[in-house]
Amino acid sequence: MKASNLIKVNETNFEFHLTNKSISYVFRVLENSKQLEHLYYGKNIHHSSSFDYLIERESRPANNLYEDNHTSSFEHTKQEYPSFGTTDFREPAFLIKNPAGDKITHFAYEDYTVLEGKPKIEGLPATYTELDSEAETLCIHLKDIYTDLKLNLYYTIYKDHPVITRRSEFINVGSQNHFLESAMSMSIDFPEDNFELLHLNGAWARENHVSREPLTVGKKSLSSARGASGPVNNPFLALVREETTEHSGEAYGFSFVYSGNFKAQVEVNTYNVSRVMMGINPFNFSWKLEPNETFSTPEVVMVYSDKGLNKMSQTYHNLYRSRLARGKWRDTDRPILINSWEATYYDFNEDKILDIAKQSAELGIELFVLDDGWFGQRDTDDGSLGNWTVDKRKLPNGLNVLSEKIHDLGMKFGLWFEPEMVSKDTKIFKENPNWVIHVPGKNVSHGRNQYILDFSNPDVVNNLFNQMDNILSDVKIEYIKWDMNRYISEAYSSHLNADRQGELFHRYILGVYSLFERLQEKYPDILFESCAGGGGRFDPGMLYYSPQIWASDDTDAIERLKIQYGTSMVYPLSSIGSHVSEIPNHQVGRNTPIETRANVAFFGTFGYELDITKLSSEEKNIVSEQIAFFKKYRTLIHSGNFYRLKSPFNSNEVGWMVVSQNRTEALIGYYQVLSQPNAPYERLKLKGLDENKKYKVSPGNEIRYGNDLENIGLLFSQNNHKRKSSYWSQNNKSDFNSRILHIEEV
Ligand code: GLA
């Protein structure tokens, strides 16, 4: 046995045990075929010099690999990275078309390496380490016994997080081409089906709603084939126990660090085995692997929690905000912004913008974001995308002067781009028809009157880099909102040969990542916020490039309860773009109090998206208090631990809170959707406090012990006879009421 901190190898029986203080992951090399058998993943177990006791083997009437052997069926062996075509008929982790046309491979173990820290994946976003001591990486080297293909499986285990990341790498060391038809990032066979599946799904304006259902025999696939991770399914799933709640029970999370087409699937067979796999969607995918080429899959981040969903989420939050998000803004307080979109849409001029900016600055807002409509001649959504030059009709003095004037007001300046798109009325479209994704001679569908640039073509990426660079090198810009408002159809690239068309979707997203890389290398101080018609590309891949992401075009406070609650399942509050907008709400027509709109938006990256000049002086006073409040607490909100307390998916009341890492301070958000007559008393039981510490609860200044607040909770009653006994304000007879409470150790 070789001693290592986190990766223990039983050299004689070829067993690998990745373990830290919370988790264990065990697999081995099979004696006969030298393929990999999965043995265990879950709560940490003691290391043993032999994990023989985890092997399940029985003679079965099945296809078996070897003659005179009835226990060599992969249908009955838990696997690490299953192949297809021999003895397992379930969906495999990969599929390769060999030069002869067959799809049979046999990747046999050769050796392994252990690395301190975590190697980068060329061209792809991934979690990282800052110090090598934060993690160890195991790489298992396998080789196809029939061809010159090699396969590397990477496993990184973090020291202080219950996290293992996985990915794979195919290398062609031969002289002939192979075609990858599927290359998932990971697969795991759980020896039971006693789980429920939890996932996030939705659509435009109702992203990341939480669904949960028992597993049954068969396959359940969550996927995207639209060229972005999309709003329909988030690239995430969790297996949880029937009894798992927010705060107790097991949860296994799987999150994909990728922004393109993905598949996340659970397949349960009739032997109660649950196979989870995640990776690039094999549908419509193929990759020509030429001699000396390597194909790297993106990574999957696996989190284990034995303390419920909330602990799983906190693990993702901690890891993603500190070891996925990067750059200056990772740890810097995010500016409170005002965005022009719902304030003016396309209809603005310099005076109007400066008017909004001036009044925003007076109220304490720190960043002005000029959204869509500043370039070309864009008065509606039917033109000018791809012509990233300022519209002198609206801004006759140009962006430079506007930016200077905004800076003179003491604000930062931000700008909206939609780099991946093009409109028909632009030079770039007319001069380069083949830069548009479409099949020559066949109809091309539009989305919002726009077409998609072929980001698999480096010339296209160059063009966009140059156009954006022209502006960024000239104008003082501290923030970019990178939008993407339609999905890829008629997927075909004039840049790729016929036998490489299956590569388009992946190459497209690699092109998007490369443009981010180039811009960020040259402009490391710019804060990026990504967006895709709201939360249509809210995924860990984007989080690597933009520490905040616009969560939804739906800015209604009540709708946002669900969207932000669901988004927090994986993503930290510091990533969730959330704004106060005007009423009636532009998406749903609802009138909610301005207090509630802010009380929801505080639990994200806070900002405003309305015409602030139209607010009454009373409303402006409220706004200025909200801004002062957020400035005071944003560090707590963005660096604390988030606890979901009451779910909008099954309750009229919603509660959540964020607790400082040292548990001396907390903020609680409590929301009532509809007012009810003669309602029961509601108690909100808190979480994450130190049970023996005394805390002051404000408003009210009541002093309570942590365990009292956790076990008894705060009383919210409808009619407030005794001021001190309820945490509602005096009059709670209204819909959409809300309350923020502050808790501080005394
Ligand atoms: C998308 C975004 C919005 C806004 C508009 C502008 O819908 O999600 O926030 O930027 O585009 O066209």
Side-chain angles (χ1 to χ4, degrees):
M1 194 183 100
K2 188 176 157 187
S4 148
N5 274 340
L6 304 170
I7 296 168
K8 301 185 191 308
V9 184
N10 293 335
E11 299 279 355
T12 47
N13 40 356
F14 298 100
E15 291 169 340
F16 299 88
H17 180 195
L18 295 91
T19 185
N20 62 22
K21 54 187 179 298
S22 0
I23 53 172
S24 278
Y25 189 104
V26 187
F27 63 95
R28 70 190 276 265
V29 178
L30 289 162
E31 297 82 5
N32 43 20
S33 73
K34 300 278 182 274
Q35 282 158 289
L36 300 180
E37 176 174 18
H38 177 75
L39 294 178
Y40 175 75
Y41 172 43
K43 196 173 168 70
N44 70 333
I45 54 173
H46 289 288
H47 187 69
S48 162
S49 57
S50 165
F51 286 105
D52 261 13
Y53 67 93
L54 290 170
I55 298 172
E56 297 173 330
R57 257 332 158 270
E58 210 172 288
S59 215
R60 301 270 189 185
N63 278 23
N64 280 285
L65 270 186
Y66 301 109
E67 285 180 9
D68 301 326
N69 179 323
H70 300 281
T71 60
S72 57
S73 163
F74 279 117
E75 194 168 3
H76 301 286
T77 309
K78 275 112 214 141
Q79 294 163 77
E80 276 302 299
Y81 200 66
S83 58
F84 183 73
T86 62
T87 59
D88 186 0
F89 302 96
R90 287 166 293 173
E91 201 165 315
F94 66 97
L95 198 59
I96 295 169
K97 194 158 107 194
N98 293 311
D102 70 291
K103 295 185 181 174
I104 300 303
T105 56
H106 180 139
F107 282 99
Y109 172 82
E110 291 205 308
D111 54 11
Y112 74 93
T113 40
V114 170
L115 306 161
E116 295 286 310
K118 187 169 189 290
K120 282 186 130 194
I121 322 176
E122 192 53 38
L124 280 168
T127 57
Y128 57 88
T129 51
E130 284 197 336
L131 302 172
D132 277 351
S133 57
E134 290 172 11
E136 282 179 20
T137 300
L138 170 67
C139 181
I140 301 287
H141 307 279
L142 304 116
K143 165 134 193 340
D144 185 13
I145 61 171
Y146 303 120
T147 69
D148 288 324
L149 275 186
K150 290 191 168 194
L151 167 63
N152 290 331
L153 299 181
Y154 286 89
Y155 300 78
T156 296
I157 177 163
Y158 277 87
K159 183 163 149 281
D160 295 325
H161 300 282
V163 171
I164 288 173
T165 67
R166 285 191 57 181
R167 66 184 175 95
S168 60
E169 192 176 75
F170 291 88
I171 307 159
N172 186 350
V173 293
S175 54
Q176 287 184 289
N177 298 329
H178 292 258
F179 286 85
L180 298 178
E181 295 187 342
S182 165
M184 304 303 275
S185 298
M186 57 76 60
S187 174
I188 189 169
D189 287 345
F190 286 92
E192 52 186 328
D193 62 356
N194 185 20
F195 289 114
E196 293 185 345
L197 171 66
L198 184 132
H199 52 107
L200 304 172
N201 51 54
W204 174 79
R206 51 179 171 83
E207 296 86 345
N208 285 336
H209 284 211
V210 180
S211 295
R212 182 169 170 169
E213 68 248 1
L215 291 187
T216 50
V217 172
K219 287 185 206 172
K220 171 87 183 190
S221 252
L222 312 162
S223 68
S224 166
R226 57 184 61 227
S229 50
V232 179
N233 296 130
N234 197 266
F236 161 78
L237 68 83
L239 292 191
V240 302
R241 303 295 179 184
E242 190 185 353
E243 63 275 13
T244 298
T245 67
E246 279 288 357
H247 305 289
S248 70
E250 285 193 302
Y252 290 88
F254 299 85
S255 165
F256 194 30
V257 187
Y258 190 60
S259 313
N261 290 351
F262 73 93
K263 175 150 117 170
Q265 179 171 286
V266 192
E267 179 171 4
V268 180
N269 69 7
T270 49
Y271 301 93
N272 301 351
V273 173
S274 308
R275 172 172 291 176
V276 174
M277 56 171 62
M278 195 173 249
I280 292 173
N281 195 347
F283 171 70
N284 224 347
F285 168 85
S286 93
W287 192 275
K288 183 177 177 184
L289 197 63
E290 292 187 355
N292 296 319
E293 280 185 350
T294 297
F295 182 83
S296 295
T297 71
E299 79 173 4
V300 170
V301 177
M302 313 194 318
V303 167
Y304 171 78
S305 161
D306 61 349
K307 294 193 181 59
L309 287 165
N310 213 106
K311 181 69 202 317
M312 175 199 74
S313 300
Q314 287 181 359
T315 301
Y316 278 119
H317 296 175
N318 284 327
L319 186 74
Y320 283 0
R321 74 182 161 208
S322 66
R323 293 294 179 268
L324 178 62
R326 302 176 300 166
K328 168 182 159 179
W329 290 99
R330 186 188 76 180
D331 303 322
T332 308
D333 277 344
R334 306 297 166 68
I336 298 174
L337 65 82
I338 182 141
N339 179 297
S340 66
W341 181 240
E342 286 197 19
T344 64
Y345 293 103
Y346 300 104
D347 184 16
F348 58 81
N349 56 30
E350 189 184 284
D351 287 347
K352 180 70 199 169
I353 294 300
L354 288 174
D355 206 13
I356 296 176
K358 185 165 175 292
Q359 297 197 27
S360 303
E362 282 164 9
L363 295 173
I365 294 177
E366 300 157 310
L367 162 68
F368 184 91
V369 179
L370 183 57
D371 208 280
D372 196 354
W374 60 267
F375 52 91
Q377 299 219 334
R378 189 155 162 96
D379 298 329
T380 64
D381 66 12
D382 64 0
S384 298
L385 293 167
N387 172 9
W388 300 106
T389 55
V390 70
D391 183 349
K392 290 271 175 117
R393 298 169 312 153
K394 294 181 193 172
L395 302 171
N397 302 313
L399 283 175
N400 234 322
V401 169
L402 180 68
S403 165
E404 266 169 34
K405 288 183 178 167
I406 284 175
H407 282 97
D408 287 346
L409 296 168
M411 292 177 107
K412 294 178 165 42
F413 180 57
L415 203 58
W416 181 96
F417 284 95
E418 197 177 359
E420 298 151 72
M421 299 294 154
V422 68
S423 310
K424 277 191 168 165
D425 63 353
T426 55
K427 185 161 158 261
I428 175 174
F429 182 96
K430 287 176 190 149
E431 288 180 1
N432 310 282
N434 285 340
W435 282 10
V436 173
I437 292 182
H438 76 295
V439 187
K442 298 189 179 173
N443 181 56
V444 50
S445 311
H446 77 98
R448 212 192 188 202
N449 306 306
Q450 63 198 50
Y451 301 87
I452 306 199
L453 287 169
D454 179 5
F455 264 53
S456 77
N457 181 347
D459 293 342
V460 173
V461 176
N462 264 336
N463 178 291
L464 267 297
F465 175 79
N466 291 335
Q467 288 204 57
M468 292 173 81
D469 187 33
N470 274 342
I471 290 181
L472 299 176
S473 56
D474 184 40
V475 185
K476 193 171 171 196
I477 289 173
E478 284 100 346
Y479 164 108
I480 288 179
K481 179 171 169 188
W482 177 316
D483 209 341
M484 197 278 296
N485 276 306
R486 64 157 292 191
Y487 301 108
I488 299 177
S489 57
E490 291 89 17
Y492 182 88
S493 166
S494 301
H495 169 69
L496 299 172
N497 290 336
D499 61 356
R500 285 194 180 272
Q501 290 300 326
E503 300 173 16
L504 171 57
F505 282 103
H506 185 54
R507 286 188 184 275
Y508 176 89
I509 211 73
L510 293 179
V512 171
Y513 291 152
S514 74
L515 182 55
F516 267 112
E517 283 292 351
R518 286 176 68 182
L519 291 169
Q520 292 181 342
E521 201 175 303
K522 185 152 183 197
Y523 302 100
D525 289 345
I526 293 181
L527 169 61
F528 280 78
E529 175 155 352
S530 67
C531 172
R537 207 162 56 180
F538 203 126
D539 58 60
M542 280 296 139
L543 215 48
Y544 183 75
Y545 299 102
S546 62
Q548 55 193 64
I549 304 177
W550 182 226
S552 179
D553 277 349
D554 193 337
T555 56
D556 172 67
I558 298 305
E559 291 290 310
R560 278 289 185 136
L561 290 171
K562 286 183 176 158
I563 295 167
Q564 292 177 209
Y565 190 97
T567 304
S568 81
M569 204 52 78
V570 184
Y571 307 97
L573 297 189
S574 57
S575 70
I576 303 176
S578 44
H579 301 166
V580 174
S581 62
E582 74 170 24
I583 52 167
N585 175 267
H586 292 196
Q587 292 76 39
V588 295
R590 188 177 284 128
N591 290 317
T592 53
I594 193 158
E595 290 84 355
T596 292
R597 279 175 268 155
N599 289 348
V600 175
F602 285 147
F603 290 85
T605 66
F606 187 63
Y608 290 82
E609 187 163 337
L610 42 71
D611 186 348
I612 214 142
T613 65
K614 291 188 184 146
L615 296 185
S616 66
S617 58
E618 192 193 337
E619 284 172 322
K620 281 188 183 152
N621 287 338
I622 296 173
V623 165
S624 107
E625 279 167 23
Q626 292 172 344
I627 289 165
F629 174 88
F630 191 75
K631 285 181 181 167
K632 189 162 171 200
Y633 293 115
R634 65 182 148 193
T635 312
L636 166 63
I637 293 170
H638 289 169
S639 66
N641 283 320
F642 185 61
Y643 291 85
R644 293 180 296 266
L645 304 175
K646 257 179 193 283
S647 166
F649 295 100
N650 52 29
S651 165
N652 185 54
E653 289 75 31
V654 180
W656 53 43
M657 68 188 287
V658 61
V659 185
S660 66
Q661 296 287 345
N662 61 8
R663 300 197 284 175
T664 57
E665 197 183 6
L667 273 185
I668 299 150
Y670 191 68
Y671 314 86
Q672 168 187 271
V673 176
L674 295 179
S675 173
Q676 295 175 71
N678 195 18
Y681 296 112
E682 285 292 336
R683 279 180 194 282
L684 186 67
K685 293 183 181 176
L686 306 188
K687 289 282 172 199
L689 301 174
D690 184 327
E691 54 181 29
N692 296 315
K693 279 183 179 161
K694 277 183 178 172
Y695 294 92
K696 183 173 81 182
V697 185
S698 327
N701 293 341
E702 211 171 35
I703 308 290
R704 307 266 298 266
Y705 274 105
N707 59 356
D708 163 355
L709 290 167
E710 293 204 358
N711 295 309
I712 301 170
L714 298 171
L715 177 67
F716 286 83
S717 68
Q718 282 273 336
N719 294 310
N720 208 352
H721 294 300
K722 287 194 174 172
R723 172 71 187 88
K724 265 193 146 181
S725 71
S726 171
Y727 285 97
W728 282 127
S729 52
Q730 282 301 322
N731 179 10
N732 186 40
K733 283 189 181 169
S734 61
D735 295 340
F736 321 130
N737 205 351
S738 67
R739 196 77 163 139
I740 297 287
L741 299 173
H742 179 246
I743 288 194
E744 201 173 10
E745 187 189 342
V746 288

